Amino acid sequence: MMMFCKKKVIYILIFAAILLIINSGCSNIFKRSDENQSKQTQDTKKSPPKTLTSLEDTTETIIKDIQEVKDKQIEAVQLKQEEPKKEGQQGNNQEQKQQEDKPKEEEQSKDQKKPQEDEQKDEEQSQKKEEKPEDKQTKSATIDWKKMEEHVEKLQSSWNSYVNVATKDGASNDLIKNFENQLDLLTTKIMEQQEASLLDAVNDLYKFYPRFYDLYKHQAPPNVKDMKYYVRKIIIDSENYRWSENKESIDSLRQAWETAKSRMEKPDRDTNQKIDAAIDSFSRSVGQQNIHLIKMKGDILIKGIEEIK
């Protein structure tokens, strides 16, 4: 009886081991099957249509144009803030110069009479000097609304050509509806020349492109476009002192990067390590609430993201 029980236990253990081996083998088979199926699905997808790439390119152009104006406006404000310091310093220098020139006043008075033409030239030069650097900066720090209207008209035209294609290619009704709503919001802001939150509106339009690109064949995972959206959002929020929103955006940026790395067919180790370091450096600047470093390191990070192929 004892012998029978021992044999029964042995048989059970052997049977369990066989089941474990079979189960492990099946799991690997199914895993390979899923990977092959995913690869086949990617291979059978078509390339993104030109209308979609045109939409993205035009959106990028609008973002670039508005950001350039924003940068000039910030620079103009900084120049204006520095002007009182320069004027105070110039006043001190002028007073010191007057004291030094007192012994020479009699000698200089002999040469004070100048021809009328020379006086006019001096007056013109003094008028030119009176034009402050920030005044020139302010003149160029305005949005070209006519150009913006041309951009948004192109967006609407490209979207009109693409929307039916997007539906056929599998875009959800919610995706299409949300994109249209955001495009209409951006169009309204431009047509009514609403500069406030205009950069937010166009960047919020950009965040839909990764979802559309997921419908098509791609080399770089569309999640890298999510990364560009979050980097820009952090820069915009920082320039508007909306610091409380940055933590969530940093977390979303890191999550998008991890997803992008997991979807890469042929990851470039050096490029990925460079982006890892750029994200860490960018995050530190965000934590320090240093607007200048956030802008600089954000631009560096975007350039690194654009190198992913």
Side-chain angles (χ1 to χ4, degrees), residues 89-130:
Q89 187 176 3
Q90 287 174 357
N92 294 333
N93 293 338
Q94 188 175 1
E95 186 178 350
Q96 184 178 357
K97 186 178 180 182
Q98 287 175 353
Q99 292 176 354
E100 292 174 355
D101 292 344
K102 278 183 180 180
K104 302 177 182 179
E105 284 179 358
E106 292 181 0
E107 184 179 348
Q108 289 178 347
S109 63
K110 296 178 182 179
D111 300 326
Q112 282 179 353
K113 294 181 180 180
K114 294 182 179 180
Q116 189 174 359
E117 292 180 0
D118 292 341
E119 290 180 0
Q120 289 177 350
K121 287 181 180 179
D122 291 341
E123 186 177 354
E124 289 175 0
Q125 289 177 355
S126 64
Q127 287 176 352
K128 289 181 180 178
K129 289 179 181 178
E130 286 176 2

Side-chain angles (χ1 to χ4, degrees), residues 2-250:
M2 192 73 173
M3 184 67 68
F4 176 76
C5 289
K6 287 182 179 180
K7 287 182 178 180
K8 188 176 181 181
V9 170
I10 292 171
Y11 290 147
I12 292 172
L13 290 173
I14 294 171
F15 183 69
I18 293 171
L19 285 177
L20 184 62
I21 293 169
I22 293 173
N23 185 51
S24 177
C26 288
S27 296
N28 291 331
I29 292 170
F30 288 136
K31 184 177 180 181
R32 286 195 298 270
S33 177
D34 290 340
E35 290 175 354
N36 292 335
Q37 186 176 1
S38 177
K39 190 172 185 299
Q40 288 173 359
T41 302
Q42 176 67 14
D43 291 339
T44 55
K45 287 181 177 179
K46 63 181 183 180
S47 298
K50 291 182 179 180
T51 46
L52 177 57
T53 55
S54 176
L55 279 165
E56 184 191 8
D57 291 343
T58 306
T59 305
E60 290 269 19
T61 300
I62 296 175
I63 291 172
K64 181 181 176 182
D65 289 350
I66 299 173
Q67 187 62 60
E68 284 180 356
V69 172
K70 184 78 172 176
D71 292 343
K72 289 176 182 177
Q73 290 174 344
I74 293 172
E75 187 177 346
V77 170
Q78 291 172 345
L79 285 171
K80 192 172 182 179
Q81 291 173 344
E82 292 173 0
E83 190 62 27
K85 297 179 182 178
K86 290 181 180 179
E87 288 178 355
Q89 187 176 3
Q90 287 174 357
N92 294 333
N93 293 338
Q94 188 175 1
E95 186 178 350
Q96 184 178 357
K97 186 178 180 182
Q98 287 175 353
Q99 292 176 354
E100 292 174 355
D101 292 344
K102 278 183 180 180
K104 302 177 182 179
E105 284 179 358
E106 292 181 0
E107 184 179 348
Q108 289 178 347
S109 63
K110 296 178 182 179
D111 300 326
Q112 282 179 353
K113 294 181 180 180
K114 294 182 179 180
Q116 189 174 359
E117 292 180 0
D118 292 341
E119 290 180 0
Q120 289 177 350
K121 287 181 180 179
D122 291 341
E123 186 177 354
E124 289 175 0
Q125 289 177 355
S126 64
Q127 287 176 352
K128 289 181 180 178
K129 289 179 181 178
E130 286 176 2
E131 187 176 4
K132 297 178 182 179
E134 64 265 24
D135 293 334
K136 294 180 180 179
Q137 193 75 13
T138 303
K139 288 178 182 178
S140 61
T142 55
I143 292 176
D144 187 340
W145 292 108
K146 184 177 179 181
K147 190 176 179 181
M148 283 293 147
E149 288 178 13
E150 292 173 357
H151 288 327
V152 81
E153 185 176 347
K154 185 177 180 181
L155 278 178
Q156 290 282 4
S157 178
S158 297
W159 173 247
N160 187 61
S161 300
Y162 174 63
V163 61
N164 289 332
V165 177
T167 303
K168 291 178 182 177
D169 291 342
S172 67
N173 292 332
D174 285 342
L175 177 58
I176 290 172
K177 182 181 177 181
N178 291 335
F179 183 88
E180 285 182 340
N181 289 340
Q182 189 62 34
L183 178 56
D184 289 345
L185 174 64
L186 175 62
T187 303
T188 301
K189 282 184 173 293
I190 288 176
M191 300 307 291
E192 296 181 357
Q193 298 187 7
Q194 299 177 20
E195 186 171 347
S197 71
L198 182 60
L199 199 52
D200 289 280
V202 66
N203 193 48
D204 284 343
L205 183 71
Y206 187 86
K207 72 180 179 182
F208 293 103
Y209 291 122
R211 308 290 79 77
F212 286 114
Y213 276 98
D214 257 332
L215 303 172
Y216 305 100
K217 184 187 295 184
H218 51 261
Q219 291 180 327
N223 308 87
V224 298
K225 299 182 188 297
D226 286 313
M227 296 174 67
K228 290 173 70 174
Y229 162 74
Y230 286 116
V231 173
R232 286 176 178 142
K233 185 179 187 307
I234 291 167
I235 292 173
I236 295 168
D237 287 339
S238 299
E239 288 176 340
N240 290 280
Y241 302 100
R242 299 193 294 254
W243 302 110
S244 61
E245 298 185 24
N246 281 345
K247 184 182 184 305
E248 184 178 351
S249 297
I250 284 288

Side-chain angles (χ1 to χ4, degrees), residues 244-273:
S244 61
E245 298 185 24
N246 281 345
K247 184 182 184 305
E248 184 178 351
S249 297
I250 284 288
D251 292 341
S252 298
L253 170 64
R254 291 187 181 279
Q255 184 177 352
W257 176 228
E258 291 303 318
T259 304
K261 287 192 288 186
S262 68
R263 297 182 65 185
M264 291 178 182
E265 292 184 10
K266 297 178 180 179
D268 186 319
R269 185 178 178 183
D270 291 337
T271 300
N272 288 2
Q273 287 179 344

